Amino acid sequence: MTTETPMNKTTDTATPVTPPPTTPLVPLPHPAARALTVAGSALALIGTFLAWTWTKEFPGNLTVTGYPGGLQVLTLVGALLTLLFTLSGYDIPGLRWLTPGGKNSPVLLSALGVLATTGYAMGAISYELGGAVNLEPGAWVSGIGALAAVIGALGLPTDQPHDPGDPHPHHWVNLWFRLRHALSSPEPGRAKDLPAWAEILIITGGFGAGLFIFAYGIRTEYSEAFIGFLIIAAFGFSAVNRAGLLKRLSALTAKHRNVTLAAAFVAAICFPFTQSNDQFALIGANILIFATVALGLNVVVGLAGLLDLGYVAFLGVGAYAAALVSGSPQSTIGVQFPFWAAVLTGALASLIFGVVIGAPTLRLRGDYLAIVTLGFGEIFRITMNNLNGRSGPDVTNGSNGVPNIPDLELFGFNFGVPHNVLGTELTRSGNYYLLMLLFTAVVVMVFRRSAESRIGRAWVAIREDETAATAMGINSFRLKLLAFALGACLAGLAGTVQAHVSYSVTPEQYQFAGSVPPNSAFLLAAVILGGMGTISGPLIGAALLYLIPAKLQFMAEYQLLLFGIALMLLMRFRPEGLVADRRKQLEFHETGQLDVPEDKPLPEGATGVAKAGA
C-alpha cells in the first residue's frame, strides 16, 4: 500500500542553497581584440626604428634611430608577421590565403614570439649594461606594443572546439587551453588549383625563404642575436604551420616532387656563395656531414625500427679507413689512393663492419639490440685507442689518431685551394661543402628509392609488427641485416669526407654522448627531432642540433641539460617530430575517426560495439 506525502507537510531537511555564479572576467569583444592586436603589432614595429640603448657596448648597435639592427630586426619581422596574420582575419582581399588552417591561432603564436624576443632583448640589455636604466624609449615602445598584441590575441576566439572540461569556452584567461590548441595540427581547407607555373614559383619562393633564414642564422656573429633568432624562428615556424601554409606547401611539393628536389638542391648550392666568412661555410659543411649520417641512421631507426645506439662507430670506420689510405705522413699503411678509391674504401669498410656486427646481433629485439649496439660503439672507440703499438698492433696511432690528412683532389681540382667561381671566391670550406652536398644528394636518392620499394615497405611492416610481418612471409632477419648494412655504408660514405674536412681522426670524436656532435646520442635525437621515416626531417634535426652548440659555445656546460629539456618539450607538444608523415600524425594524435556521435542513431544493422569505437 502506498502512502502519499501531503504537499504542505514540512520537513527538517535543509534545502540546499545554490551559491551565486561567479562572474568571470569579461573577454574583449572580438573586433576590439583584433584592433588591439593590430595596434600593438604596429607599435612594436614602430619601436624598432627607434634607439633601444644609448651605448654601442651591446652587440648589434641598437643606438641608431631610423635603421633597425641586431635584435631589432627580429622584433620587426615578428611584428610584421603578426600584423599580416591579424589583418587576414578582416578578410582583406589578397590576405585571405595567409591563414587557410585557422585565423586566430597563428596570431597568438606570432604575438608571443614578438613578446618573447623583445623581452629577451630588453633583459639582455639590462643584464649586460647594468640595469633597465640603459633602455631607451624605443625598447619600451616595442615591449609595450608586443604585450598589447598578446592581450589582444588572447581575446580572439579559438580556432578549435572548446575543451568540454572548460566551463568558460573561448575565455581569454585560460592560457593553457589557448596555447595547447594553437600548437595542434591544422586542417586547412581545399585550396584552389593554380597553374603549374604558379605552383612551381611558390615552391621556389618557399625554398628561397628557407635558404635566407638558414643563412641568416649561421651569419649571426654574437650569441644574443642567435638566441633571439631561435626564439622568433620557433614561434614563427609554429605560427606558419598553424596557419596551414606548411601543409599547403607540402601538398605542392608532393605534387611536383622532381621540381622540389631540384629547387632544394639549387638553394643548397647557393649557400656558400652567400657567405663572406669561411667559418660559416665550414659550419655548413659539417652540418651536411651530420645530416647525411642522420639520414643513414634513419634507414635503420625510421624505416626498419632498429634502435642503434652505436651508429657513430660506422662513421668512424669510414673516416679511419679513408684516413689510412689517403697519404697521411702519419699513416701506418703508407699508401695514397685516389679520391674515388678512398671513398669506396671507407664505404666498403663500414658496410663490412655492419654485416659483421649485425649478423649475430639482429636476432635480438628492442632494448637488447640497443644494448648490444651501444657496446659495439664503445668497443670501436676503445679498440682504435689501443691500436697504438703498445696495447696492440700499431695501426691507428692510438689516442693521437691519424693527423695531417691531405686535401682531396678530383680531376685536377684541389679542394684545399680557393677557387674563383662566377666572380665569387669559393674557399676550402665551400669546396668541401659542395662535395658533401653531392654526397647528400646521393644518400637522399638511395633513401627515397629504398623507402618506396618493396624492401622499404617490408621494413615498415617489420617496424610496425615484426611478428605479423614474419607471419606474412617476410624474412625479417635478412631485411634487418640489409637495413643495418645499408645504414652503415651511408655513414662510412660521409666519414670519408669528414676525415679530410677535419684534417685528422681521433677516437674521442666517436663517442656515444659528448659536447660536440656528431655522436650516437645526437644522431638518434636528430632523427627523432626531425621526424622518423622522412627525408627532410633528419636533415632539419641535424642542422638544428649541430648549429645550436656551434653558435652557443658559452653554454657548453649546460648543453646536455638544455638538450634534455628541449626533448621533453618536443615529446609533449610534437611527439611525431618537426616534419612527420601522415602515419606518424595518426599514431601520436587522437583523430576521432571511428567515434560515433551519441546524439545520432546507429546505422541499421550496427551493434553497440561499433558505437563504442573499436
Side-chain angles (χ1 to χ4, degrees):
M1 185 173 178
T2 307
T3 58
E4 296 181 358
T5 303
M7 296 294 296
N8 57 355
K9 184 177 181 180
T10 60
T11 60
D12 296 334
T13 305
T15 304
V17 179
T18 304
T22 58
T23 303
L25 295 176
V26 179
L28 294 172
H30 300 164
R34 195 171 299 278
L36 180 60
T37 307
V38 171
S41 302
L43 193 63
L45 190 148
I46 293 172
T48 60
F49 290 90
L50 304 176
W52 281 18
T53 185
W54 60 273
T55 176
K56 296 182 180 179
E57 293 182 6
F58 188 82
N61 190 11
L62 307 183
T63 63
V64 181
T65 298
Y67 187 81
L71 290 168
Q72 291 174 320
V73 176
L74 301 176
T75 297
L76 186 149
V77 172
L80 182 61
L81 186 64
T82 305
L83 193 60
L84 291 175
F85 281 145
T86 309
L87 292 177
S88 68
Y90 286 109
D91 291 332
I92 298 176
L95 294 179
R96 298 171 184 172
W97 59 271
L98 278 175
T99 53
K103 295 182 179 298
N104 299 323
S105 295
V107 176
L108 175 60
L109 291 171
S110 57
L112 287 172
V114 177
L115 180 61
T117 305
T118 307
Y120 165 75
M122 296 174 66
I125 293 172
S126 302
Y127 175 78
E128 294 189 15
L129 300 182
V133 69
N134 295 281
L135 294 171
E136 290 292 310
W140 293 107
V141 169
S142 292
I144 294 173
L147 181 60
V150 171
I151 295 174
L154 289 172
L156 297 174
T158 59
D159 295 325
Q160 299 283 345
H162 75 277
D163 193 343
D166 183 12
H168 308 298
H170 308 310
H171 197 282
W172 69 282
V173 177
N174 196 339
L175 302 181
W176 171 245
F177 166 73
R178 298 298 306 272
L179 183 61
R180 179 163 56 90
H181 284 288
L183 292 173
S184 61
S185 299
E187 293 295 339
R190 172 71 178 174
K192 294 182 179 180
D193 292 332
L194 300 175
W197 61 268
E199 295 177 344
I200 293 175
L201 283 179
I202 293 175
I203 294 173
T204 305
F207 279 101
L211 171 64
F212 178 81
I213 294 172
F214 179 72
Y216 183 89
I218 286 186
R219 284 201 305 265
T220 52
E221 298 181 353
Y222 49 96
S223 57
E224 291 85 356
F226 185 73
I227 293 176
F229 167 77
L230 288 180
I231 294 173
I232 198 66
F235 280 99
F237 174 83
S238 301
V240 172
N241 177 64
R242 190 60 188 85
L245 294 177
L246 291 184
K247 281 202 170 185
R248 289 280 175 87
L249 182 61
S250 299
L252 294 180
T253 55
K255 183 178 180 180
H256 304 278
R257 184 171 298 181
N258 293 330
V259 174
T260 300
L261 293 177
F265 193 65
V266 171
I269 290 177
C270 294
F271 169 75
F273 298 98
T274 63
Q275 304 302 310
S276 58
N277 192 332
D278 184 61
Q279 186 65 26
F280 300 152
L282 179 61
I283 292 177
N286 286 323
I287 286 176
L288 282 181
I289 293 173
F290 191 15
T292 302
V293 181
L295 199 57
L297 178 61
N298 198 24
V299 175
V300 181
V301 178
L303 294 182
L306 306 175
L307 184 57
D308 189 349
L309 297 182
Y311 186 75
V312 75
F314 297 121
L315 175 68
V317 170
Y320 264 100
L324 292 174
V325 299
S326 295
S328 170
Q330 281 72 32
S331 174
T332 57
I333 297 180
V335 298
Q336 184 172 2
F337 286 2
F339 166 71
W340 62 269
V343 171
L344 291 179
T345 300
L348 183 61
S350 295
L351 188 147
I352 293 174
F353 268 83
V355 174
V356 170
I357 299 300
T361 61
L362 287 178
R363 299 187 186 278
L364 301 174
R365 298 186 185 181
D367 299 338
Y368 302 100
L369 178 62
I371 293 173
V372 170
T373 55
L374 176 62
F376 163 66
E378 290 301 302
I379 289 172
F380 167 78
R381 183 178 60 83
I382 295 173
T383 302
M384 295 298 103
N385 204 24
N386 289 337
L387 296 179
N388 53 11
R390 297 185 300 274
S391 303
D394 187 11
V395 179
T396 64
N397 297 323
S399 59
N400 294 325
V402 184
N404 300 322
I405 300 174
D407 287 308
L408 292 172
E409 187 171 346
L410 180 63
F411 301 122
F413 186 91
N414 192 328
F415 286 86
V417 179
H419 297 274
N420 194 307
V421 179
L422 300 177
T424 303
E425 186 180 59
L426 202 61
T427 61
R428 176 184 183 271
S429 300
N431 296 331
Y432 278 109
Y433 171 87
L434 293 179
L435 175 65
M436 198 59 227
L437 181 62
L438 178 62
F439 280 22
T440 303
V442 172
V443 173
V444 168
M445 182 183 67
V446 172
F447 181 88
R448 177 186 171 189
R449 295 296 183 185
S450 301
E452 295 176 352
S453 65
R454 292 181 58 189
I455 295 176
R457 292 194 292 271
W459 283 337
V460 173
I462 294 172
R463 182 192 69 191
E464 298 299 327
D465 193 331
E466 184 174 350
T467 303
T470 304
M472 295 300 294
I474 295 176
N475 190 330
S476 61
F477 173 75
R478 182 181 301 175
L479 288 172
K480 288 194 297 184
L481 183 60
L482 179 61
F484 214 70
L486 178 59
C489 180
L490 297 179
L493 192 68
T496 60
V497 180
Q498 188 215 21
H500 293 83
V501 171
S502 59
Y503 287 116
S504 64
V505 291
T506 57
E508 285 70 23
Q509 296 177 353
Y510 310 104
Q511 302 179 6
F512 168 72
S515 58
V516 179
N519 51 65
S520 294
F522 270 63
L523 287 170
L524 183 60
V527 175
I528 298 175
L529 170 67
M532 293 189 298
T534 63
I535 294 178
S536 57
L539 300 179
I540 296 176
L544 290 176
L545 290 182
Y546 188 92
L547 182 61
I548 293 175
K551 303 296 288 187
L552 301 179
Q553 297 181 0
F554 72 97
M555 301 178 66
E557 298 180 359
Y558 308 99
Q559 179 176 318
L560 292 179
L561 173 63
L562 298 176
F563 176 64
I565 294 175
L567 281 183
M568 288 191 295
L569 293 176
L570 180 72
M571 293 299 102
R572 175 62 185 88
F573 292 106
R574 198 170 179 85
E576 70 272 21
L578 296 178
V579 181
D581 56 8
R582 186 62 176 170
R583 182 192 300 271
K584 289 297 179 183
Q585 290 180 350
L586 294 177
E587 179 180 349
F588 286 105
H589 296 282
E590 297 180 1
T591 60
Q593 294 184 12
L594 300 180
D595 296 343
V596 178
E598 296 186 0
D599 57 344
K600 294 183 180 180
L602 289 173
E604 184 177 355
T607 63
V609 177
K611 184 175 181 179

